[in-house]
Amino acid sequence: MKFLNVKSGYCWLLTLLLLALCSGAARAQTTISLDSAEAQTLRRHPRLRQSTQEIEEQRALKRGSFAPANPDFLFSAPTGEMWAPGVVQTIDLPNVYRRQRQVAEAGITLAERNRDVSRASVLRDTRLAYLSLQFAEAQVRQLTYQDSLFRVLRLATERLFTAGEVTSLQRISTDAEARQVTVLLQQATADQQAAQRRLGLLLGRPAEALATSTDLSRTGAELAQTGTTLLSGLPVEDSAALVRSPTLAAATQNVALSQSGISLVRARRTPALTVGYQNQAFENSALRYRFQFGVSVPVWFWTYRSQLQAATARSQAASYQLQAQRLELSTQYEQALADTRKFSTSLAYYEQTGLPQSRAIISQSQRLFRAGEVSYLQLILSLNQAFAIQNTYLTTIRDYRQALVELNYLRGE
């Protein structure tokens, strides 16, 4: 194969193209940090507003926990000579109202735990959407550099082919590589726009072109340190790691609510008091005011027995739901922990070996090509190898951060 010396115009062409790319007009973008994105999402997300209203609903129900039956207003004529008004009121024993208050308080606590679950889910969605935009931006930057480089190679190959210094195969190969990179850049740009819209929807700003404040490709060293610190501080048992999980806390509170429901049903099986007043006496009667006192006896035992069976079944179902939730969270935690450790090892390799090697391959392949010591084909193969390493490095950072986000979500962080 014939080796070539690239003309000095090659370097000038590369410089002009890079300057044109840097100074090209871009769509106005709004830069936002992750902390700002999280704060805006927590203020505007409808799921959190829904949770707030559910808490208000339970608080309103608590205010009505003392709810005696409506009084009965009566008109009767026991003597057959006159009508007299009267009123009768049935009141449960204090234990019933106390149990109703406990159920209401448990409902408020459950609504608050569900709000914590919603908050954690919203934060996780925001962090993943922000990370997706960071990854898309990094890919666009990487492919923009690749596209500019292969454009220069394609133009240089066209000139050399016209001069008869390269074969048709080299010309076609260079053109195919350049066009493929251009297509990949277009796809990455579309992914970036989609990621911008996803993050914008979470922030309530879907029409804005958002941009992240941090270049993902420059966060590898910090990420490696953060991940190592996190992994070294995790407890051995997953049950200890999940003790602050909002999902687990909500399931536990649901069990407490169902158990308080059993206590309420049992309290309602006790008799209730009945008091009343009726003015049914004649004017000359010695006992002018007539009062009534009585007891409401729960004789329809099958009704209360059915209610107790239903409350007991509900409590058992909540207990099984808690067990299932704990099992599911433990499985997810083990998977997230394994992914974190796996990507930690991969990131360490790319930081220490892979990324420096890719930079050396790009630099040396271009230097040797300009010196005429390697062919176009060898240059393209070397560049593709280096760019593949850098792209895998970006993917590793993304996957590592996704694993950390999932791990922190499960831990309630």
Side-chain angles (χ1 to χ4, degrees), residues 102-382:
Q102 291 175 353
V103 170
E105 290 174 347
I108 293 175
T109 305
L110 179 59
E112 292 173 344
R113 296 292 179 270
N114 288 332
R115 181 183 59 184
D116 294 339
V117 174
S118 298
R119 185 180 187 276
S121 299
V122 167
L123 285 177
R124 179 185 59 176
D125 294 343
T126 303
R127 290 165 182 170
L128 292 178
Y130 192 88
L131 176 60
S132 178
L133 180 56
Q134 280 184 308
F135 180 71
E137 291 174 344
Q139 279 198 316
V140 168
R141 283 189 289 266
Q142 168 108 6
L143 289 170
T144 298
Y145 172 70
Q146 290 180 232
D147 184 64
S148 64
L149 187 58
F150 278 103
R151 283 175 182 271
V152 171
L153 290 177
R154 183 171 61 181
L155 293 174
T157 304
E158 289 290 343
R159 292 199 322 272
L160 294 174
F161 176 75
T162 303
E165 298 182 11
V166 297
T167 64
S168 175
L169 177 60
Q170 290 174 323
R171 171 177 171 269
I172 295 174
S173 298
T174 306
D175 182 71
E177 288 291 338
R179 293 182 182 277
Q180 182 178 3
V181 173
T182 301
V183 171
L184 293 176
L185 177 58
Q186 294 172 351
Q187 294 175 351
T189 303
D191 291 339
Q192 180 183 2
Q193 294 173 354
Q196 287 174 336
R197 180 160 181 82
R198 284 197 299 271
L199 181 60
L201 288 172
L202 288 173
L203 301 182
R205 301 156 60 182
E208 292 189 38
L210 301 175
T212 62
S213 60
T214 307
D215 185 354
L216 188 66
S217 61
R218 300 178 183 272
T219 63
E222 178 187 358
L223 176 61
Q225 182 179 1
T226 302
T228 302
T229 304
L230 177 62
L231 289 173
S232 62
L234 291 178
V236 178
E237 298 293 334
D238 56 355
S239 58
L242 298 174
V243 68
R244 297 177 58 186
S245 169
T247 305
L248 199 59
T252 303
Q253 182 59 30
N254 189 38
V255 174
L257 175 61
S258 62
Q259 291 175 347
S260 63
I262 294 177
S263 300
L264 177 59
V265 171
R266 288 174 175 170
R268 286 174 174 170
R269 290 168 37 171
T270 58
L273 301 178
T274 300
V275 295
Y277 164 77
Q278 286 184 302
N279 185 6
Q280 298 179 347
F282 293 106
E283 293 182 357
N284 57 356
S285 174
L287 191 60
R288 183 177 181 85
Y289 301 102
R290 309 293 178 87
F291 293 94
Q292 295 181 355
F293 298 95
V295 177
S296 175
V297 181
V299 296
W300 316 124
F301 61 90
W302 59 85
T303 301
Y304 298 97
R305 183 175 60 186
S306 300
Q307 292 175 354
L308 181 61
Q309 290 175 347
T312 304
R314 190 182 306 114
S315 177
Q316 293 176 349
S319 299
Y320 289 129
Q321 182 184 13
L322 174 60
Q323 296 177 18
Q325 193 71 68
R326 183 178 287 112
L327 177 60
E328 182 179 356
L329 289 175
S330 298
T331 303
Q332 293 176 356
Y333 176 79
E334 291 297 334
Q335 182 62 52
L337 184 60
D339 290 341
T340 302
R341 289 170 176 167
K342 174 180 64 177
F343 294 127
S344 175
T345 303
S346 300
L347 182 61
Y349 159 74
Y350 284 108
E351 283 286 331
Q352 299 171 8
T353 306
L355 195 58
Q357 286 181 342
S358 69
R359 293 167 180 164
I361 290 173
I362 294 175
S363 175
Q364 294 182 23
S365 63
Q366 292 186 79
R367 179 177 58 80
L368 293 175
F369 175 70
R370 286 193 294 268
E373 298 181 16
V374 296
S375 67
Y376 267 103
L377 180 58
Q378 290 172 314
L379 174 64
I380 290 175
L381 291 176
S382 298

Side-chain angles (χ1 to χ4, degrees), residues 17-165:
L17 280 174
L18 291 177
L19 288 175
L21 287 168
C22 293
S23 60
R27 187 169 60 146
Q29 294 183 337
T30 303
T31 302
I32 186 172
S33 65
L34 177 58
D35 292 339
S36 178
E38 291 178 354
Q40 292 183 35
T41 305
L42 292 177
R43 286 197 306 268
R44 302 178 179 179
H45 203 285
R47 191 184 306 171
L48 295 178
R49 295 181 180 179
Q50 173 189 350
S51 299
T52 300
Q53 294 304 313
E54 289 174 350
I55 294 175
E56 292 299 322
E57 174 191 2
Q58 295 301 320
R59 288 175 177 170
L61 291 175
K62 179 184 175 181
R63 291 191 293 269
S65 58
F66 178 73
N70 292 326
D72 296 327
F73 292 95
L74 308 173
F75 284 89
S76 60
T79 63
E81 297 184 8
M82 58 179 293
W83 288 92
V87 60
V88 178
Q89 175 68 60
T90 301
I91 302 176
D92 290 314
L93 295 180
N95 185 48
V96 175
Y97 301 114
R98 184 169 59 250
R99 295 300 182 185
Q100 289 182 168
R101 183 178 181 85
Q102 291 175 353
V103 170
E105 290 174 347
I108 293 175
T109 305
L110 179 59
E112 292 173 344
R113 296 292 179 270
N114 288 332
R115 181 183 59 184
D116 294 339
V117 174
S118 298
R119 185 180 187 276
S121 299
V122 167
L123 285 177
R124 179 185 59 176
D125 294 343
T126 303
R127 290 165 182 170
L128 292 178
Y130 192 88
L131 176 60
S132 178
L133 180 56
Q134 280 184 308
F135 180 71
E137 291 174 344
Q139 279 198 316
V140 168
R141 283 189 289 266
Q142 168 108 6
L143 289 170
T144 298
Y145 172 70
Q146 290 180 232
D147 184 64
S148 64
L149 187 58
F150 278 103
R151 283 175 182 271
V152 171
L153 290 177
R154 183 171 61 181
L155 293 174
T157 304
E158 289 290 343
R159 292 199 322 272
L160 294 174
F161 176 75
T162 303
E165 298 182 11

